Amino acid sequence: MYEITEEGGILKTLNEIWCKLTEPLQPQVPQQENTKMKNLSYPFSREKIYLYNIKDKDTFFDNATRSRIVREILKRTSTKARNSMGISTLVANNVYDAAYPLHDGHYEGQNDDMNERKLLYREWARYGAFYKFQPIQLIRKYFGEKIGLYFAWLGLYTEFLIPSSVVGIIVFLYGCITIESDIPSKEMCDQRNAFTMCPLCDNFCDYWNLSSACATARASHLFDNPATVFFSIFMALWATMFLEQWKRLQMRLSYFWDLTGLEEEEEHPRPEYETKLLQKKLQNKTITTDNPNEDEKEKLTCSDRMPGYAANFGLILFMIMLTFSAVFGVIVYRITTAAALSFSTNETTRSNVRVTVTATAVIINLVVILILDEIYGAVAKWLTEIEIPKTEKAFEERLILKAFLLKFVNSYAPIFYVAFFKGRFVGRPGRYVYVFEGYRMEECAPGGCLMELCIQLSIIMLGKQLIQNNLFEIGIPKLKKLFRKLKDERTEPKEVDTNQAKDPQQWHLDYILEPFTGLTPEYMEMIIQFGFVTLFVASFPLAPLFALLNNVIEVRLDAKKFVTELRRPDTVRAKDIGIWYDILSGIGKLSVIINAFVIAVTSDFIPRLMYQYAYSQNGTMHGFINHTLSYFNVSHLKAGTQPANSLFAQDVLFCRFKDYREPPWSPNQYEFSKQYWAVLSARLAFVILFQNLVMFLSVLVDWMIPDIPKDISQQIKKEKSVLVDFFLKEEHEKLKLIESFMARDKRKHKSGTKSRRSRAASFSQFTRSPKGSFTSFSSQHTVV
């Protein structure tokens, strides 16, 4: 053991204050007795067993390590079948039903002895413990490092959502407070400004007053105001800070969990890979040469995997096109439903067309996303299997990439449409763009598309969290467990059941539980949520708040699932969260670009700035609405598209529409005006400026925060130095002992004693150096 150097000064004082304040939130689990001392650790070796502090052989390895050792023995035990190895092959060939480590015992009951499973349930895996910190050390001890890292990451992400939620609420409240002083929405709501707007559909739709869209305009201001720009910059820096902080926490955990020197272990091939390789060898047996080493060198080549790669490319492309088709189908639904409701004779129905269409379309989108998500998860797994990856790690990484690509497109495609495509290809009065030759492309609401983007994002995000992340996670495992129980009752003989009912063994209790299928679904739902929180946060500042509320439940839901509903997973050592970090980093960078375009293209932030500083007579926003509306001569409407029964007075000569176009009395009537090109240039300039500013600030934050905490960096160096000194000291003492033996032998030889020498078994570890003295291989620095 050696002493850990603690940080002094103000940081130590702040840490002590924080520990006292958060004492009620700490879980009641056994803590390390001496936190100032750390065991010097080194990979275990039987040859060097004398170096280790072994007080009790039964407790020297913890449960997770013992479980991993047993798993490795089972994996490496050869079977009778040719070219097959271990328990994985036997399970794959249905020789065994399953192979899993056992839980420690019951997680409920007062009379039984306290075990780690029961302790985890009491202090962590209950909804009643939602306010407590997670006992990460105990989670790691019971489930292994890989699952420990997942819950540490989830805990840090949930903590980081607290400041972003607070800032999001402030931004939303700013919108609420300033709504009364917003001049453009006041002008839109003022009925004295008789802006007669062009019809929203052909023939059946009448002219309408802009003041009728007052509610939409006021609601849009809640999410479309100057504070939104600040919040987008804040969230981009927040994502960078979160990733940096995670790297530091990961390094700290790696140090205390003895993972800093962890080497990538050689993985055994998957049973499916071995089976395919065996088939290939049997096919090539008649063709192969007499070279005896050819069998050993043989492996699956690209040509063997080509059918799998081709199927992957074709099916992934098909699935992406299926997603786009679903989005297009919903667009057609919106257009046709809006047209159908406009024909209604009911005044209330006609006045609420936009609200009805938007709400129903978003719900349809949500249902389609949920259905396709389940399909895509199964398809991604099947596509990865036909690729035949060699190892479990390669299989997992390929599965993650495919599933993420498909689910990313599926979840965000409808939101991308509303943000960047809706209302862009409408055309203008007299020359509208039509779908199926009869339906006009849908336009944005008078207040802009940002409000609709907010509705779309909030419903999809909340719907996915409520239905998919919570109801599905709770309901489906319970249904599977019930189904398996009914199936077992039918197939097993009754006398066996009665014997087991008296005193059921732990293996039988665990067999009833759901098999562990990996952490991919857990990470995936959080990564998709991270995308909702960062990618379109400019349109929905309350997204971090809803994510936080979900995650407080999610942590306990996942904990309860691992402790009570799943078989105990095989413990896996891992230094980091793997490919998920790269995906998070990619989403963080993409969010900067998307938020820049949302502010520049979807919101009215740039047109408002341009009007105030370039076109306004007095430097205020008075007259902004009139400035953004173009004129259209109603006599230029195509025959058959004019309102059939207009309630407006017959003297409507000009109607207005939202665009920057030349008026009908201009020589270049209805062409894009100079204001249009000026605003477009300002939009593009803002995107470039915003993107570069945020990227620069992100790089600055990255540079200012070191990846490895200073105290951990010093401790790692100290541990290496102490380890080398320890080995040298031990080997030096050994060398002295051997030299004393040699000296005694020489004295015996000189005195004429001819008795046989007894050689210690450990002498074989030593060789004579060129100078003639005995040195140990293990004392050389290269080996250490």
Side-chain angles (χ1 to χ4, degrees):
M1 298 184 81
Y2 68 97
E3 191 176 356
I4 297 172
T5 309
E6 291 186 337
E7 288 186 359
I10 193 166
L11 285 174
K12 186 180 180 182
T13 311
L14 288 171
N15 190 42
E16 286 173 357
I17 294 168
W18 174 251
C19 287
K20 284 180 182 177
L21 289 173
T22 57
E23 199 170 340
L25 307 179
Q26 297 292 344
Q28 301 299 311
V29 295
Q31 300 293 333
Q32 189 180 337
E33 291 177 8
N34 192 351
T35 54
K36 292 184 180 179
M37 300 296 289
K38 184 180 184 294
N39 277 310
L40 190 64
S41 60
Y42 192 73
F44 183 77
S45 168
R46 280 187 192 276
E47 287 84 25
K48 292 185 170 55
I49 199 165
Y50 58 89
L51 297 175
Y52 297 91
N53 181 21
I54 303 174
K55 293 174 183 174
D56 183 357
K57 287 187 178 182
D58 292 336
T59 58
F60 180 65
F61 295 117
D62 61 24
N63 277 353
T65 309
R66 292 164 75 91
S67 164
R68 194 164 64 251
I69 292 168
V70 172
R71 183 73 182 184
E72 279 301 310
I73 292 168
L74 290 173
K75 270 185 177 179
R76 295 181 185 187
T77 304
S78 58
T79 59
K80 289 181 180 178
R82 188 192 170 203
N83 235 9
S84 66
M85 180 74 81
I87 193 72
S88 305
T89 310
L90 295 172
V91 171
N93 293 334
N94 296 318
V95 177
Y96 287 97
D97 270 356
Y100 50 87
L102 299 180
H103 278 293
D104 276 4
H106 296 282
Y107 62 87
E108 290 179 305
Q110 300 295 325
N111 300 328
D112 298 332
D113 294 332
M114 179 60 71
N115 57 55
E116 288 181 354
R117 187 188 189 192
K118 188 184 287 188
L119 192 60
L120 280 171
Y121 178 73
R122 192 184 71 189
E123 296 295 327
W124 176 57
R126 295 183 302 114
Y127 295 116
F130 76 93
Y131 62 92
K132 291 186 177 183
F133 292 131
Q134 297 187 91
I136 294 296
Q137 298 295 341
L138 187 59
I139 296 166
R140 171 250 179 172
K141 189 181 174 187
Y142 192 79
F143 290 113
E145 284 79 4
K146 192 170 186 178
I147 292 171
L149 281 173
Y150 164 70
F151 281 105
W153 175 84
L154 181 57
L156 184 71
Y157 171 49
T158 305
E159 285 173 23
F160 256 74
L161 284 170
I162 296 170
S164 59
S165 301
V166 171
V167 177
I169 291 167
I170 292 168
V171 169
F172 179 73
L173 290 176
Y174 172 82
C176 296
I177 293 164
T178 57
I179 195 166
E180 295 302 329
S181 59
D182 183 49
I183 296 169
S185 58
K186 274 185 176 179
E187 286 186 351
M188 197 179 284
C189 292
D190 192 352
Q191 295 187 359
R192 290 173 295 178
N193 294 331
F195 294 117
T196 305
M197 305 300 290
C198 297
L200 293 172
C201 66
D202 295 343
N203 201 1
F204 291 95
C205 295
D206 197 1
Y207 303 107
W208 55 286
N209 279 322
L210 188 60
S211 58
S212 64
C214 174
T216 312
R218 287 172 68 83
S220 293
H221 178 74
L222 298 176
F223 305 99
D224 189 1
N225 55 65
T228 306
V229 181
F230 158 76
F231 191 55
S232 299
I233 296 171
F234 170 81
M235 286 304 292
L237 296 178
W238 173 87
T240 306
M241 285 283 289
F242 165 62
L243 292 175
E244 286 302 310
Q245 195 59 36
W246 168 245
K247 279 195 280 189
R248 289 168 66 81
L249 177 60
Q250 190 171 257
M251 199 64 214
R252 191 174 290 279
L253 292 175
S254 292
Y255 168 68
F256 285 107
W257 293 355
D258 300 322
L259 299 171
T260 47
L262 180 66
E263 297 293 331
E264 286 290 329
E265 295 177 8
E266 185 183 354
E267 287 193 77
H268 301 292
R270 296 171 65 246
E272 293 83 355
Y273 180 88
E274 288 184 331
T275 306
K276 186 75 177 175
L277 192 63
L278 180 61
Q279 289 172 359
K280 182 184 177 182
K281 286 179 179 180
L282 291 172
Q283 286 173 1
N284 297 344
K285 200 168 184 182
T286 53
I287 310 166
T288 52
T289 59
D290 296 331
N291 186 356
N293 296 323
E294 188 157 347
D295 263 9
E296 294 173 15
K297 293 179 181 177
E298 197 164 6
K299 60 180 181 180
L300 295 184
T301 59
C302 283
S303 57
D304 297 321
R305 291 194 175 102
M306 196 52 71
Y309 290 150
N312 266 265
F313 179 77
L315 263 173
I316 288 173
L317 200 62
F318 171 76
M319 291 295 170
I320 291 172
M321 294 309 295
L322 179 66
T323 302
F324 291 154
S325 302
V327 173
F328 182 71
V330 175
I331 294 167
V332 171
Y333 163 80
R334 293 159 74 119
I335 294 168
T336 52
T337 308
L341 292 175
S342 300
F343 301 158
S344 174
T345 53
N346 190 326
E347 179 61 33
T348 311
T349 306
R350 286 205 306 273
S351 60
N352 294 316
V353 167
R354 198 179 291 276
V355 176
T356 308
V357 169
T358 301
T360 54
V362 173
I363 291 166
I364 292 169
N365 262 325
L366 175 62
V367 172
V368 169
I369 286 170
L370 293 175
I371 293 168
L372 289 181
D373 253 5
E374 298 304 313
I375 295 170
Y376 287 169
V379 168
K381 189 175 180 183
W382 179 74
L383 286 174
T384 311
E385 282 170 354
I386 63 173
E387 271 190 62
I388 323 165
K390 185 174 182 180
T391 62
E392 284 297 335
K393 186 180 178 183
F395 179 88
E396 189 179 23
E397 286 187 352
R398 293 184 188 190
L399 173 62
I400 288 167
L401 283 173
K402 288 183 191 66
F404 175 73
L405 175 65
L406 292 172
K407 293 191 176 189
F408 181 90
V409 173
N410 185 40
S411 297
Y412 301 127
I415 302 169
F416 269 98
Y417 164 71
V418 174
F420 303 122
F421 297 101
K422 187 179 178 183
R424 312 281 168 225
F425 310 103
V426 178
R428 60 168 179 81
R431 194 181 289 174
Y432 283 114
V433 176
Y434 290 89
V435 182
F436 305 132
E437 298 182 359
Y439 299 102
R440 270 165 46 181
M441 285 294 286
E442 55 181 345
E443 301 177 42
C444 285
C449 269
L450 202 71
M451 186 63 202
E452 194 170 330
L453 177 61
C454 172
I455 294 167
Q456 185 100 7
L457 180 64
S458 58
I459 292 178
I460 290 176
M461 179 183 172
L462 296 176
K464 271 180 72 69
Q465 288 185 169
L466 184 66
I467 298 169
Q468 195 175 42
N469 297 5
N470 294 330
L471 293 181
F472 282 11
E473 276 198 55
I474 295 168
I476 290 176
K478 287 191 182 299
L479 289 172
K480 283 184 177 178
K481 188 178 177 181
L482 181 66
F483 178 73
R484 197 183 297 109
K485 192 177 180 182
L486 292 170
K487 188 180 175 185
D488 289 347
E489 284 175 0
R490 286 178 192 170
T491 54
E492 289 182 6
K494 288 183 180 179
E495 60 271 13
V496 176
D497 284 345
T498 53
N499 292 334
Q500 286 178 346
K502 290 176 184 175
D503 187 21
Q505 296 294 314
Q506 189 63 45
W507 67 264
H508 187 260
L509 293 170
D510 287 3
Y511 183 67
I512 298 165
L513 300 176
E514 187 73 14
F516 175 68
T517 54
L519 285 168
T520 302
E522 314 301 334
Y523 272 114
M524 187 67 73
E525 64 187 58
M526 288 296 106
I527 298 291
I528 295 294
Q529 186 204 76
F530 183 79
F532 282 123
V533 168
T534 53
L535 290 178
F536 296 93
V537 77
S539 65
F540 190 38
L542 296 177
L545 175 65
F546 288 114
L548 174 64
L549 295 173
N550 173 78
N551 285 12
V552 170
I553 301 166
E554 182 70 27
V555 171
R556 305 302 156 179
L557 180 66
D558 282 351
K560 194 169 188 291
K561 187 167 69 174
F562 272 87
V563 173
T564 67
E565 294 172 8
L566 294 179
R567 292 175 190 164
R568 190 171 180 177
D570 292 312
T571 56
V572 179
R573 298 197 90 196
K575 292 175 74 172
D576 49 40
I577 59 173
I579 199 170
W580 294 112
Y581 180 84
D582 300 323
I583 292 172
L584 282 167
S585 182
I587 290 174
K589 290 179 173 63
L590 183 63
S591 70
V592 177
I593 301 166
I594 289 177
N595 279 308
F597 275 101
V598 167
I599 295 166
V601 177
T602 314
S603 80
D604 276 342
F605 178 72
I606 301 300
R608 289 185 182 204
L609 276 184
M610 284 293 293
Y611 177 77
Q612 188 171 356
Y613 295 107
Y615 301 111
S616 176
Q617 300 293 329
N618 51 11
T620 65
M621 292 302 295
H622 289 288
F624 173 72
I625 297 297
N626 186 48
H627 178 75
T628 58
L629 297 175
S630 299
Y631 286 90
F632 181 76
N633 191 333
V634 296
S635 62
H636 294 164
L637 284 169
K638 288 182 181 177
T641 62
Q642 300 95 337
N645 300 305
S646 179
L647 299 174
F648 277 67
Q650 295 303 311
D651 57 350
V652 176
L653 298 176
F654 299 99
C655 65
R656 310 295 292 273
F657 64 101
K658 192 173 181 181
D659 210 344
Y660 292 102
R661 290 184 182 268
E662 296 289 346
W665 53 83
S666 168
N668 302 316
Q669 61 177 9
Y670 308 132
E671 294 292 322
F672 287 120
S673 63
K674 289 179 182 178
Q675 286 93 330
Y676 171 83
W677 298 111
V679 170
L680 182 63
S681 304
R683 290 184 198 271
L684 295 174
F686 174 82
V687 168
I688 295 165
L689 181 67
F690 180 91
Q691 187 179 328
N692 283 288
L693 173 67
V694 175
M695 287 291 189
F696 169 74
L697 291 174
S698 299
V699 170
L700 189 66
V701 168
D702 191 1
W703 175 74
M704 288 174 68
I705 303 173
D707 291 351
I708 305 175
K710 191 177 178 182
D711 59 325
I712 296 298
S713 177
Q714 289 172 350
Q715 290 302 131
I716 291 171
K717 288 176 185 174
K718 182 180 177 180
E719 184 166 315
K720 285 181 180 177
S721 173
V722 171
L723 193 65
V724 171
D725 291 344
F726 176 77
F727 275 127
L728 289 174
K729 182 184 174 185
E730 288 289 332
E731 298 300 340
H732 185 63
E733 287 177 2
K734 216 170 174 191
L735 184 61
K736 277 185 178 179
L737 182 65
I738 290 164
E739 284 175 348
S740 69
F741 271 119
M742 297 300 295
R744 191 176 67 183
D745 281 352
K746 281 179 182 177
R747 283 198 302 272
K748 283 183 180 180
H749 183 69
K750 284 178 182 178
S751 64
T753 308
K754 295 182 179 180
S755 59
R756 287 183 67 183
R757 289 185 188 176
S758 61
R759 281 183 79 101
S762 60
F763 283 13
S764 62
Q765 296 178 34
F766 302 90
T767 56
R768 188 176 293 276
S769 67
K771 293 182 181 179
S773 63
F774 284 87
T775 53
S776 166
F777 282 122
S778 51
S779 67
Q780 296 173 21
H781 287 277
T782 50
V783 177
V784 172

